[in-house]
Amino acid sequence: MGTKIHVSASTNTLIIGGGIIGVSIASMLTDRDVMILDSGEPRFGTSIGNAGHVVVSHAQPFAAPGMIAMGAKSLLHADGAFAFSAHLPLQTASWIASFMRSCTKGNVEKFTPGILSLLRTSAELIHSSGVTTTSTPTWEVFTSQKATEQAQVEAEHLSHLGISSLLINRSEALEQEPSLTPKVKAVVELGEDFGLDPRELWQRLRAANPDLVFHSNELVTAIAPSKGGYLLTTTSGMQITAENIVIAAGSWSREVGKLLGIKIPLIAAKGYSVTVPMHKGTNSLHPMIFADEKTATDPLGDHLRMSARFELTHPNDRSIKEKRVRQLYERAATVLNLPLIPKDLAELSPWTGLRPASADGAPYIGPVPDLPGVYLATGHGLIGTALSLGTADLISRYIGHRPVTPAELALSPRRFIH
Ligand SMILES: Cc1cc2nc3c(=O)[nH]c(=O)nc-3n(C[C@H](O)[C@H](O)[C@H](O)COP(=O)(O)OP(=O)(O)OC[C@H]3O[C@@H](n4cnc5c(N)ncnc54)[C@H](O)[C@@H]3O)c2cc1C
């Protein structure tokens, strides 16, 4: 048995989790001592390996009317975009019940203004961070029989939200984007959306606060109130006191919440990606969302990343099924000119990551009632990269006692912790 090392330290703000949300928050708190503890480097790299879409167009919470029907339809097909894994955690049934109850117009009206405002702040701050972004906006591509109507409805929906978009017909789309196959029927250009390499964004934001102390491979196992703040203990025996704690622990935030007696309604949703070299003559220029195939693609320099699937699972399940990798590539290949799938699937660099999915489809951002100095910044689901710096801006205003709008207040954990 090894001897435990006890390191004592103190900091003003301790962030639990060094994924994109944690490093974004640290990047904005340059006026105080900040420390990040992460149980990996970060663990599983969800914030580094994702599709890198910055989607102002996704301002509507994930729980919305129509989602129950879409989910049920998908679950009836073994190969659907939404699925359950064989490793479901105990809270799955209650999460599903809450999610279903939230698929209402009221839920959409409650959260959309706050999410939209944070997405716009994020997009602006990401642009000014100096990270490389795609020079062309994102395209939403439709391929079904009803493609033209679907595209029209989407453009109207975005216009209702005040988000710019442009309808592009099939022949224009095929001319402008050589990577598309004739299966495309209609396209909506999402005027405020773009793509980036999530690894580059994470690295930049991690380096943005030169005084940040980042401890990798430190799992927080206990949190106790202590004089003027909290005392945190990690698996290696580190003991740290902090005035403020921010829980930005992604898919593990529920477990961290338990250390403080908070019940955070959250589940992990596994997604797959593959990353391949771009091929001459079929270079993809735009980040794309294939609405009917439920697949997203992002050009990353000389590579192309494709991602899909939303599989409810345990937060330690990163298993990769060959069948899913094959399906992801083959689905994308119906809309994109891609080479034949290689015999050795390792050539596709298959990867899985875990989205922290909240029970009402909106992120949990704000102070925890009755626990002064404790903040949540989690539950970002499908759009954590897109919401990163908007979340950080909001948390920095809460910690600095600066104004917060009513739309942003709607995102606070007060909605489930009374
Ligand atoms: C396939 C796929 C594609 C995606 N595409 C996009 C996209 O195009 N655009 C977009 O905006 N989003 C996308 N996402 C979603 C995005 O990746 C997530 O929302 C985001 O990464 C969540 O970031 P996070 O910082 O909250 O969590 P994480 O990156 O998971 O970080 C949480 C960290 O907390 C740490 N931690 C947990 N428990 C403890 C503990 N007890 N002590 C210390 N540390 C702890 C973990 O080690 C981990 O590193 C995608 C996700 C997937 C899976």
Side-chain angles (χ1 to χ4, degrees):
M1 286 244 308
T3 319
K4 294 221 162 175
I5 307 161
H6 291 268
V7 180
S8 271
S10 72
T11 187
N12 173 270
T13 301
L14 194 139
I15 302 169
I16 304 174
I20 194 63
I21 301 301
V23 295
S24 297
I25 295 168
S27 78
M28 290 231 170
L29 296 177
T30 45
D31 58 338
R32 56 189 71 227
D33 289 342
V34 185
M35 184 186 286
I36 289 183
L37 293 178
D38 194 286
S39 53
E41 299 183 70
R43 179 150 138 217
F44 295 178
T46 295
S47 290
I48 291 170
N50 67 59
H53 279 245
V54 177
V55 278
V56 176
S57 60
H58 284 44
Q60 188 167 288
F62 194 51
M67 283 303 288
I68 298 179
M70 192 204 278
K73 200 169 141 201
S74 179
L75 289 169
L76 288 176
H77 296 93
D79 293 338
F82 302 97
F84 297 122
S85 82
H87 313 276
L88 286 171
L90 281 175
Q91 81 269 21
T92 310
S94 67
W95 185 93
I96 292 174
S98 303
F99 186 85
M100 287 172 71
R101 274 198 306 275
S102 302
C103 289
T104 62
K105 206 168 155 238
N107 199 59
V108 171
E109 285 165 359
K110 183 171 161 195
F111 295 121
T112 303
I115 299 175
L116 179 57
S117 148
L118 295 197
L119 284 169
R120 283 212 164 115
T121 304
S122 263
E124 198 185 315
L125 293 173
I126 287 172
H127 277 307
S128 52
S129 75
V131 70
T132 319
T133 57
T134 52
S135 53
T136 46
T138 306
W139 276 12
E140 188 167 1
V141 177
F142 298 86
T143 56
S144 78
Q145 293 301 329
K146 293 183 179 161
T148 315
E149 289 154 68
Q150 279 175 289
Q152 187 74 45
V153 169
E154 178 66 348
E156 278 164 19
H157 163 70
L158 293 170
S159 147
H160 176 69
L161 293 176
I163 297 174
S164 72
S165 68
L166 182 70
L167 279 169
I168 299 179
N169 68 34
R170 182 173 185 270
S171 55
E172 273 177 72
L174 288 170
E175 198 176 306
Q176 283 185 44
E177 181 53 85
S179 65
L180 286 173
T181 68
K183 202 184 168 201
V184 57
K185 295 212 174 63
V187 167
V188 177
E189 183 169 280
L190 306 168
E192 297 182 40
D193 293 10
F194 55 92
L196 49 74
D197 180 345
R199 178 183 293 276
E200 188 196 336
L201 181 67
W202 182 85
Q203 283 168 339
R204 256 177 202 275
L205 296 179
R206 181 181 165 165
N209 181 344
D211 298 325
L212 167 68
V213 178
F214 191 120
H215 289 285
S216 303
N217 302 314
E218 290 289 354
L219 178 84
V220 175
T221 50
I223 309 175
S226 102
K227 218 172 149 200
Y230 298 88
L231 174 71
L232 290 92
T233 309
T234 71
T235 27
S236 78
M238 277 182 88
Q239 294 210 309
I240 299 137
T241 54
E243 214 170 287
N244 302 306
I245 300 175
V246 183
I247 300 177
S251 297
W252 300 271
S253 299
R254 195 171 180 275
E255 281 63 35
V256 176
K258 278 189 204 159
L259 302 176
L260 281 161
I262 320 167
K263 275 192 189 162
I264 306 176
L266 190 115
I267 198 165
K270 185 166 76 175
Y272 280 71
S273 81
V274 298
T275 308
V276 294
M278 291 264 202
H279 279 264
K280 263 198 185 151
T282 57
N283 284 9
S284 188
L285 306 170
H286 298 80
M288 289 192 256
I289 298 167
F290 302 142
D292 299 300
E293 291 72 19
K294 304 273 177 284
T295 302
T297 65
D298 189 25
L300 303 172
D302 53 2
H303 281 71
L304 181 72
R305 179 164 293 159
M306 300 163 237
S307 68
R309 207 161 161 90
F310 189 91
E311 186 177 309
L312 300 188
T313 193
H314 192 275
N316 289 328
D317 169 28
R318 278 197 80 203
S319 56
I320 297 183
K321 294 227 164 51
E322 270 195 16
K323 185 179 171 189
R324 301 292 163 220
V325 175
R326 199 174 285 285
Q327 185 186 57
L328 162 56
Y329 189 87
E330 284 171 349
R331 244 177 223 175
T334 63
V335 197
L336 278 184
N337 287 307
L338 292 171
L340 280 178
I341 189 162
K343 279 210 177 85
D344 180 4
L345 294 185
E347 288 175 32
L348 300 177
S349 306
W351 173 92
T352 53
L354 299 170
R355 305 178 185 92
S358 69
D360 54 20
Y364 305 137
I365 310 169
V368 175
D370 300 329
L371 287 175
V374 178
Y375 302 84
L376 293 194
T378 191
H380 294 78
L382 293 98
I383 56 171
T385 298
L387 279 169
S388 56
L389 281 167
T391 300
D393 176 61
L394 180 53
I395 288 288
S396 74
R397 277 183 284 134
Y398 272 120
I399 293 180
H401 305 289
R402 283 180 284 130
V404 167
T405 66
E408 292 165 340
L409 266 177
L411 302 171
S412 107
R414 203 170 274 281
R415 65 194 197 259
F416 60 87
I417 307 171
H418 305 287

